[in-house]
């Protein structure tokens, strides 16, 4: 079923698990991610940056994702990741996305509340869920680099006030992960995460999931993470494999020869991540 973030995260909270949110870059990757979720019998969140949404086309993404959800018999959310632009958010809601993230994390606290509230009013009226972010996650996302000095971990008291005033469906927290980090392991501040979890009831979201170790995945889910974002690991492996094959295969053979093995790797990684996200004791 094509469904909302609110629905899949309510189920994840009941079952103490996280739902995987995977950044797609094209329609082929989208299909591989949904196939993986279907094999693992779990819901999944397909997320697009503003750039990918504009490249593929929002209406096309809505049509394809809702059709694949039906075909593979799995609950799928289509989510707009890190949107800052009100016109793009409104376009996604109108096009049929089932979830949007308003990223006001670089704004002063009150401005973040005001911007988030405006998105919540518009999105909720259309039955669309909203994620917002408090604190600043480091690293690089869709070409935008966050200066290490600008990284700020989420304050637990601010989180409680923010959720109370905005009525969001999920809160992205800054707890030491970085977007785009591939080679090294992430250092997570579990004390901060535990204090946020104790202060709020809303489902929590981890950004910069690439680089989080298997043990830490387990730990953060036990501390309230219900949406787990993974982007870079899929992109790096897709690019690596297809680059190798484009270099080997003749130009007059089908493009499938370069793309399908790269998709198989994406599917494998997604299945492995999902198995870690759901098997929490
Ligand atoms: P990574 O690319 O570091 O896995 O982060 C993905 C993400 O958080 C998307 O918002």
């Amino acid at each position: 079923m094509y469904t909302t973030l609110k629905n899949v995260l309510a189920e994840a909270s009941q079952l103490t698990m996280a739902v995987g949110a995977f950044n797609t870059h094209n329609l082929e990757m989208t299909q591989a991610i949904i196939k993986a979720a279907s094999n693992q019998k779990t819901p999944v969140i397909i997320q697009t940056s503003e750039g990918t949404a504009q490249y593929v086309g929002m209406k096309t993404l809505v049509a394809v994702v809702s059709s694949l959800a039906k075909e593979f018999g799995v609950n799928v959310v289509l989510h707009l990741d890190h949107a800052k632009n009100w016109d793009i958010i409104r376009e996604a809601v109108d096009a049929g996305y089932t979830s949007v993230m308003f990223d006001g994390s670089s704004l002063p606290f009150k401005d973040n509340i005001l911007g988030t509230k405006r998105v919540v009013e518009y999105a909720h009226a259309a039955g669309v869920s909203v994620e917002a972010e408090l604190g600043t996650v480091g690293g690089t996302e869709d070409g935008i680099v966050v200066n290490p000095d600008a990284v700020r971990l989420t304050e637990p008291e601010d989180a409680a006030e923010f959720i109370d005033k905005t009525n969001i469906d999920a809160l992205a927290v800054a707890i030491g992960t970085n977007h785009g980090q591939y080679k090294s392991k992430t250092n997570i501040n579990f004390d901060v995460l535990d204090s946020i979890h104790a202060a709020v009831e809303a489902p929590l979201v981890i950004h910069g999931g690439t680089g989080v170790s298997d043990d830490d995945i387990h730990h953060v889910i036990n501390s309230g993470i219900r949406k787990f974002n993974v982007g870079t690991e899929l992109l790096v492996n897709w690019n690596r494999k297809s680059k190798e094959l484009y270099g080997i295969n003749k130009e007059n053979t089908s493009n499938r020869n370069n793309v399908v093995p790269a998709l198989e790797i994406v599917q494998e990684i997604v299945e492995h991540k999902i198995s870690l996200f759901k098997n929490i004791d």
Side-chain angles (χ1 to χ4, degrees):
M1 204 173 80
Y2 186 52
T3 188
T4 63
L5 186 68
K6 186 179 174 150
N7 276 347
V8 298
L9 297 191
E11 184 181 54
S13 295
Q14 271 175 1
L15 300 174
T16 314
M17 58 178 276
V19 182
F22 300 97
N23 288 79
T24 191
H25 292 263
N26 52 43
L27 293 175
E28 284 87 348
M29 270 176 92
T30 306
Q31 190 179 31
I33 295 165
I34 293 175
K35 258 191 211 169
S38 166
N39 287 346
Q40 288 291 320
K41 303 187 171 41
T42 59
V44 73
I45 300 153
I46 295 289
Q47 49 190 18
T48 71
S49 63
E50 291 180 347
T52 300
Q54 283 168 329
Y55 159 62
V56 182
M58 289 182 180
K59 288 195 177 136
T60 303
L61 280 157
V62 169
V64 170
V65 169
S66 56
S67 162
L68 288 170
K70 209 164 159 196
E71 181 185 337
F72 285 96
V74 65
N75 279 348
V76 187
V77 176
L78 179 59
H79 174 81
L80 183 67
D81 194 25
H82 286 288
K84 295 187 180 203
N85 181 315
W86 165 251
D87 289 333
I88 294 181
I89 292 175
R90 198 174 46 185
E91 197 186 331
V93 170
D94 293 350
Y97 270 59
T98 52
S99 178
V100 291
M101 173 185 188
F102 171 66
D103 182 355
S105 59
S106 59
L107 301 174
F109 187 61
K110 273 191 193 164
D111 291 336
N112 192 357
I113 291 178
L114 288 167
T116 304
K117 275 181 76 173
R118 183 176 178 214
V119 169
V120 167
E121 277 162 25
Y122 191 76
H124 281 186
V128 173
S129 308
V130 178
E131 173 186 336
E133 178 172 320
L134 204 53
T136 310
V137 176
T140 307
E141 175 82 21
D142 217 21
I144 297 163
V145 183
V146 174
N147 188 317
D149 300 341
V151 172
R152 276 182 296 114
L153 298 191
T154 308
E155 299 281 347
E157 286 127 60
D158 287 353
E161 186 185 344
F162 187 79
I163 291 167
D164 191 46
K165 296 206 162 126
T166 58
N167 196 22
I168 49 171
D169 302 294
L171 178 71
V173 289
I175 51 169
T177 54
N178 293 304
H179 285 119
Q181 174 177 344
Y182 185 64
K183 292 201 171 127
S184 51
K185 182 185 165 301
T186 303
N187 262 333
I188 295 180
N189 189 324
F190 290 103
D191 289 341
V192 169
L193 178 59
D194 285 333
S195 310
I196 300 167
H197 187 37
V200 307
E201 279 180 16
L204 303 178
V205 182
I206 194 166
H207 280 249
T210 300
V212 176
S213 70
D214 292 2
D215 278 351
D216 285 356
I217 288 177
H218 198 129
H219 195 151
V220 296
I221 293 172
N222 272 327
S223 297
I225 293 294
R226 299 288 168 255
K227 174 174 180 274
F228 201 111
N229 288 8
V230 180
T232 303
E233 192 170 343
L234 303 185
L235 186 60
V236 167
N237 284 286
W238 156 281
N239 281 335
R240 223 176 239 172
K241 190 68 188 171
S242 47
K243 207 165 154 184
E244 175 197 325
L245 293 167
Y246 276 107
I248 296 170
N249 291 321
K250 290 213 170 90
E251 286 161 10
N252 60 354
T253 59
S254 171
N255 185 245
R256 285 193 303 280
N257 299 330
N258 306 314
V259 171
V260 172
L263 287 174
E264 284 166 358
I265 290 179
V266 167
Q267 190 179 326
E268 225 171 82
I269 297 169
V270 172
E271 282 205 44
H272 175 65
K273 295 286 178 197
I274 290 178
S275 71
L276 296 170
F277 299 158
K278 74 175 168 182
N279 293 317
I280 304 296
D281 35 64

